[in-house]
Amino acid sequence: SNCMYKEIKDIIDYIANNENVYTVLLGDIIDNGVITGKVASAVYDNQLSPMQQIQKAVELLSPIKNKILGVVSGNHEFRSSKAIDVNPLYLVCSELGIQNLYNDSMGIIKIQLGKDNRADRKGALQCYTLLIHHGKGTAESAIKKDHEFINQFEGIDCIITGHTHQSRVAKFKKLVVNKYSNVVTEKDITVIVCNSFLKEAEYGLQNMLVGANNDPLMFDLKCHRNKKIICHY
């Protein structure tokens, strides 16, 4: 009932109508209130049944199905998985024909930009590696948790999560030791926590949560020899 439908539709239209604009789906695409959920009374808050929500998600996402780079499930979709061993977000992806982009837990996306025609370095001018995950914890702990998680991986430039209903962006430096050249260099790590597209006045007051920033969060991957990720609302 608190879904910001118009704002979601506006973003989808923007993605569909602009070249070189892509998106990822971080889960909680549907509310999926079920009796077995954490809050059983949530079934009475929904204006659509879980099946109707799946159908609406397919309808909304169809114009940008070729611009979705990866999909991970959220805790709201897992409510169904616990009860009937079927994840509704996987069904959405199957209807869109992008089930190969779906993963229950996390995804790693490699994006190559530009061309480098130097004889010793043929191929892409720049390559970014993104890790997507639904996320865990609260808005206050999200950046720290994401940073700790990304440090388990070598070669990731950016982690993108959601879940907390609050958008956050942080930049970190990581020291990289090259054991062959004996040189220590700095590597940029970007942590992005996306917003929820929910009107949270009532929900936030009930749970003593800080008001959410619902502006769409976007980021640019620059095609330079030096990597640069620019985040903006």
Side-chain angles (χ1 to χ4, degrees):
S1 59
N2 292 327
C3 175
M4 296 173 65
Y5 184 86
K6 179 184 181 301
E7 288 78 1
I8 294 172
K9 183 72 167 60
D10 287 346
I11 277 291
I12 288 172
D13 289 344
Y14 177 82
I15 295 167
N17 295 319
N18 285 273
E19 191 178 6
N20 294 330
V21 178
Y22 297 86
T23 191
V24 294
L25 305 182
L26 300 174
D28 289 358
I29 301 301
I30 69 172
D31 183 46
N32 196 28
V34 292
I35 292 297
T36 57
K38 186 176 181 180
V39 183
S41 61
V43 294
Y44 300 110
D45 294 331
N46 287 324
Q47 297 174 351
L48 301 174
S49 69
M51 181 55 73
Q52 289 172 320
Q53 290 181 49
I54 290 171
Q55 293 169 336
K56 180 61 70 174
V58 172
E59 175 191 316
L60 271 173
L61 295 168
S62 288
I64 59 167
K65 62 184 180 182
N66 295 326
K67 289 192 153 194
I68 296 170
L69 301 180
V71 185
V72 289
S73 186
N75 55 297
H76 282 247
E77 284 93 10
F78 272 121
R79 291 173 179 174
S80 283
S81 300
K82 292 177 183 177
I84 57 174
D85 195 31
V86 174
N87 191 300
L89 187 51
Y90 179 78
L91 297 180
V92 170
C93 292
S94 295
E95 287 295 311
L96 293 172
I98 58 169
Q99 63 269 29
N100 60 309
L101 301 180
Y102 171 87
N103 194 281
D104 276 343
S105 56
M106 56 165 274
I108 295 176
I109 301 166
K110 177 181 175 182
I111 299 176
Q112 293 178 280
L113 300 175
K115 270 203 165 303
D116 191 335
N117 294 318
R118 287 178 291 177
D120 62 335
R121 197 175 169 183
K122 288 185 177 179
L125 181 63
Q126 194 52 268
C127 178
Y128 291 88
T129 310
L130 316 177
L131 188 151
I132 61 172
H133 193 287
H134 178 63
K136 289 286 185 183
T138 64
E140 290 71 26
S141 66
I143 290 293
K144 181 176 183 292
K145 194 169 190 69
D146 286 5
H147 188 213
E148 290 173 348
F149 186 67
I150 199 174
N151 278 331
Q152 296 185 65
F153 299 84
E154 190 62 49
I156 300 294
D157 300 303
C158 176
I159 181 171
I160 311 168
T161 63
H163 182 69
T164 69
H165 299 198
Q166 302 277 331
S167 57
R168 297 280 193 278
V169 176
K171 296 271 190 177
F172 297 94
K173 295 286 186 184
K174 186 173 184 177
L175 295 177
V176 180
V177 179
N178 189 319
K179 60 186 177 183
Y180 300 105
S181 64
N182 301 325
V183 173
V184 179
T185 56
E186 285 187 340
K187 172 184 172 67
D188 284 332
I189 302 293
T190 304
V191 177
I192 298 173
V193 183
C194 295
N195 61 297
S196 63
F197 289 107
L198 287 176
K199 300 171 189 171
E200 300 208 67
E202 185 178 342
Y203 178 85
L205 289 172
Q206 288 174 348
N207 295 279
M208 295 182 72
L209 297 176
V210 178
N213 174 10
N214 286 314
D215 291 331
L217 182 58
M218 305 182 69
F219 61 97
D220 300 330
L221 303 180
K222 292 298 182 181
C223 188
H224 298 157
R225 283 201 165 83
N226 295 320
K227 288 186 179 181
K228 195 168 188 180
I229 299 176
I230 301 174
C231 301
H232 55 94
Y233 290 100

